[in-house]
Amino acid sequence: MRRTLAEPDKTLPDSVGLAEFMRRVEADPLPLADRYRLVAAARVLLEELYVHLPLKRAMHATDPVQRLRLLERRLAPLSELQFHAELTDVFRGLRDLHTLYQLPDPYRGHVATLGFLVERYADPDGTPHHIVSKVDPALVHAGFDVGAELEAWNGVPIERAIERNAAAQAGSHLDARLARGLESLTLRPLRTGPPPDEHRVLLTYRTVGGRRRETRVPWRVRAVEQRAGRAQDPVPTLATGLGIDVGSEAARQVKRALFAPPQARRSAARALRSVVRYRTVRVRGRAYGYVRVYSFNVAGARPFAEEVARIAARAPEGGLIVDIRGNPGGHVPAAESALQVLSPHPVAPVSFSLSTTRAALALARANPGFRVWTPSIRAAVETGEVYSQAFPLTDPEAVTAGLPRHSGPKVLITDALSYSAADVFAAGFQDNGLGPVLGTAHRTGAGGANVWTHELLRVWLPELLGELPRGAGFRVALRRATRARGNVDVPLEDLGVEADELHRLTERDVTGHNQDLLAAAAALLG
């Protein structure tokens, strides 16, 4: 029986078609001289300041510096898109979401989206299912709605399509790449990678009633955030304490703009509720506190710690469930101060070290905040050490002075998208014995560094780093994170935090508000 091909009757609000967006890009290509400037700047950052270069060469058998040398020799014949794809791929080969090339205007501040999200669960026998979990009302048609199950993507079985997409992601390990492969099926920040090749996607799906259908859904491009009429990135550019996956943060904000209830969006503009939410849940007749931390991308550590302390004080005696799934990180001091208010005892924070290159020494000498690292970098000329001594970024006890501490039982929920400052939070939770870690994947996303922008580094190294064209940018892992207490000196990069207990998401989790996941967390509290 021949299936009819359906298409949405309406288009996604506040967006333009991918073809129209690309016409704007192609009308004003990046000059060849600017391409040479970008490649030269990338070489300086990776050779002189990238703290994980020895680790990445060993773990992923990659030589990004040589790839940049070759790209420099082969620039002339490349088209605009080919150049951006090649430079992006050099950084993607590092498997480091902190260290990346950021595309210039007009890509900056925009995300390509299909207007719906997909989540995965597995039956007890391991059979996977991929369900539409959220969809913009404008795209609902022919049974394509929340609960529809995807079977094929452009004619490719959905499981294989996700695997192929995962291979192009920069996650440090397989779980992280698969999680990002699933997320980026329908949502792609253009600041951190070129746009999709296809302008629309052919989907084969089953409706909630079980009917098999096909539809074509177009890619649309929308701004992440508007300031003064211009699309902007959602992450502060001059913060020194950042540990964040900016691509996932941009995707998180677009998800919120597309799918959060209007009242939630309005209240979030006035408070921290855009990044942390609390409610009481009942599992098998007993009450527990449940706090979801969506991001640590906040302006300051103290206000965030105050909010977490206020929430923790409301938790019932049964305990507190802290959920950081999908958290892309943000302000490292905020993550560690939140950890401190959740602990009745002083916590040992993670420590950070720099590479021992000439540029790192010049930075340490120029910036008073780096003074503590200077002697060990200088001594490396004789000792041959690859990294400086390691020191904490902040003192969580000082930041949280006077705030109440939560002494009740608690459990942490993580996944393979918990990254950077969220890795730091999970490591501190585990290393300081706050409670068990329950993962929906074996490990967190494995981002272990304090990341700096090219713009910020130029402030302290103006002779080494020049201005970049058209708002292009780079982010680089400058200081690597190592763990504390029983895991002293163990790096977070590429390893992440291994869960104490594993819970694979079920159908009830995806379609029924995490019922089985919360039951598993409550069992650990019990």
Side-chain angles (χ1 to χ4, degrees):
M1 180 178 174
R2 188 174 178 273
R3 295 188 300 275
T4 359
L5 185 62
E7 292 192 32
D9 298 324
K10 302 175 184 176
T11 57
L12 199 64
D14 302 319
S15 66
V16 298
L18 180 57
E20 180 184 344
F21 181 82
M22 292 311 300
R23 279 194 293 272
R24 299 178 192 173
V25 172
E26 292 161 2
D28 188 18
L30 194 67
L32 185 61
D34 286 345
R35 298 184 195 181
Y36 279 110
R37 287 167 61 195
L38 287 170
V39 175
R43 279 185 59 184
V44 170
L45 286 176
L46 293 186
E47 282 188 288
E48 295 291 335
L49 292 164
Y50 181 42
V51 73
H52 296 314
L53 187 58
L55 174 71
K56 299 300 182 175
R57 280 173 166 161
M59 287 199 71
H60 302 296
T62 184
D63 189 345
V65 177
Q66 176 62 11
R67 289 189 65 182
L68 288 170
R69 291 192 190 106
L70 294 174
L71 177 58
E72 198 168 31
R73 293 172 64 90
R74 301 166 182 173
L75 274 183
L78 298 181
S79 70
E80 167 99 354
L81 269 181
Q82 286 172 334
F83 167 71
H84 291 310
E86 287 287 333
L87 189 50
T88 299
D89 196 53
V90 171
F91 282 82
R92 190 169 284 156
L94 297 171
R95 303 294 185 192
D96 182 353
L97 295 161
H98 283 139
T99 304
L100 46 84
Y101 165 53
Q102 296 180 294
L103 277 67
D105 291 328
Y107 300 97
R108 177 171 64 164
H110 288 89
V111 171
T113 177
L114 289 172
F116 65 94
L117 301 180
V118 182
E119 290 189 53
R120 182 187 191 277
Y121 73 88
D123 291 335
D125 64 0
T127 304
H129 300 270
H130 300 86
I131 303 296
V132 175
S133 58
K134 289 183 173 59
V135 60
D136 189 276
L139 303 182
V140 175
H141 66 288
F144 186 78
D145 200 348
V146 171
E149 181 171 354
L150 298 185
E151 293 188 342
W153 188 276
N154 286 333
V156 180
I158 185 65
E159 188 80 354
R160 178 58 184 149
I162 293 168
E163 289 172 358
R164 287 170 57 178
N165 198 39
Q169 305 305 312
S172 294
H173 51 81
L174 182 59
D175 279 345
R177 288 193 289 278
L178 285 171
R180 294 178 192 283
L182 179 60
E183 182 180 65
S184 64
L185 272 183
T186 64
L187 202 59
R188 301 186 191 177
L190 301 185
R191 178 65 158 161
T192 54
D197 293 324
E198 70 278 7
H199 287 182
R200 57 189 62 239
V201 173
L202 175 65
L203 303 173
T204 305
Y205 64 99
R206 286 193 183 275
T207 67
V208 174
R211 296 185 63 182
R212 197 165 190 249
R213 288 181 172 170
E214 288 185 341
T215 187
R216 270 196 301 251
V217 179
W219 281 101
R220 305 285 294 180
V221 176
R222 62 174 290 155
V224 178
E225 186 176 344
Q226 294 281 350
R227 292 179 194 158
R230 168 176 279 195
Q232 298 288 333
D233 296 315
V235 180
T237 55
L238 290 178
T240 60
L242 282 182
I244 191 166
D245 168 11
V246 289
S248 289
E249 175 63 12
R252 184 188 73 84
Q253 293 202 16
V254 169
K255 287 179 189 176
R256 188 167 160 271
L258 284 174
F259 305 117
Q263 63 271 22
R265 295 200 294 269
R266 284 195 299 269
S267 63
R270 300 192 300 266
L272 284 167
R273 294 172 193 165
S274 60
V275 295
V276 58
R277 296 282 183 84
Y278 174 82
R279 62 189 172 97
T280 301
V281 298
R282 299 195 72 84
V283 180
R284 299 188 181 95
R286 190 169 187 183
Y288 302 90
Y290 175 75
V291 56
R292 184 72 184 267
V293 186
Y294 293 98
S295 172
F296 293 110
N297 187 26
V298 294
R302 177 71 184 198
F304 186 74
E306 290 171 351
E307 177 70 6
V308 173
R310 183 187 66 80
I311 285 172
R314 299 165 57 190
E317 290 184 3
L320 185 65
I321 301 169
V322 183
D323 189 346
I324 59 169
R325 286 176 299 151
N327 187 317
H331 196 218
V332 172
E336 294 194 319
S337 65
L339 196 68
Q340 181 61 80
V341 298
L342 292 176
S343 172
H345 309 293
V347 300
V350 302
S351 296
F352 291 84
S353 52
L354 289 95
S355 59
T356 53
T357 61
R358 289 175 298 177
L361 181 57
L363 177 64
R365 284 172 168 166
N367 188 331
F370 281 69
R371 190 169 297 143
V372 68
W373 285 278
T374 306
S376 59
I377 300 176
R378 190 189 306 117
V381 175
E382 295 180 2
T383 63
E385 291 287 345
V386 177
Y387 302 111
S388 72
Q389 283 182 277
F391 298 95
L393 284 188
T394 53
D395 180 357
E397 277 198 276
V399 174
T400 60
L403 294 180
R405 308 286 174 85
H406 183 265
S407 58
K410 56 192 73 70
V411 60
L412 178 66
I413 302 176
T414 64
D415 68 356
L417 294 175
S418 308
Y419 193 77
S420 194
D423 275 300
V424 168
F425 183 88
F429 195 96
Q430 192 174 68
D431 294 344
N432 289 280
L434 270 67
V437 176
L438 176 65
T440 61
H442 288 286
R443 288 184 285 173
T444 55
N450 167 222
V451 57
W452 277 40
T453 65
H454 182 276
E455 180 184 2
L456 179 55
L457 287 165
R458 279 190 67 225
V459 174
W460 300 102
L461 299 171
E463 295 179 1
L464 184 65
L465 302 171
E467 188 175 356
L468 300 179
R470 295 195 182 181
F474 294 99
R475 303 179 80 86
V476 65
L478 183 69
R479 292 182 277 195
R480 76 166 192 155
T482 49
R483 297 177 66 174
R485 299 203 187 275
N487 291 302
V488 169
D489 290 338
V490 175
L492 273 171
E493 184 68 23
D494 281 325
L495 301 179
V497 178
E498 189 172 353
D500 299 312
E501 298 286 340
L502 183 66
H503 173 84
R504 294 295 188 188
L505 293 178
T506 67
E507 183 177 9
R508 293 207 319 161
D509 289 325
V510 171
T511 62
H513 306 291
N514 298 305
Q515 288 173 281
D516 292 331
L517 176 61
L518 292 177
L524 291 176
L525 285 172

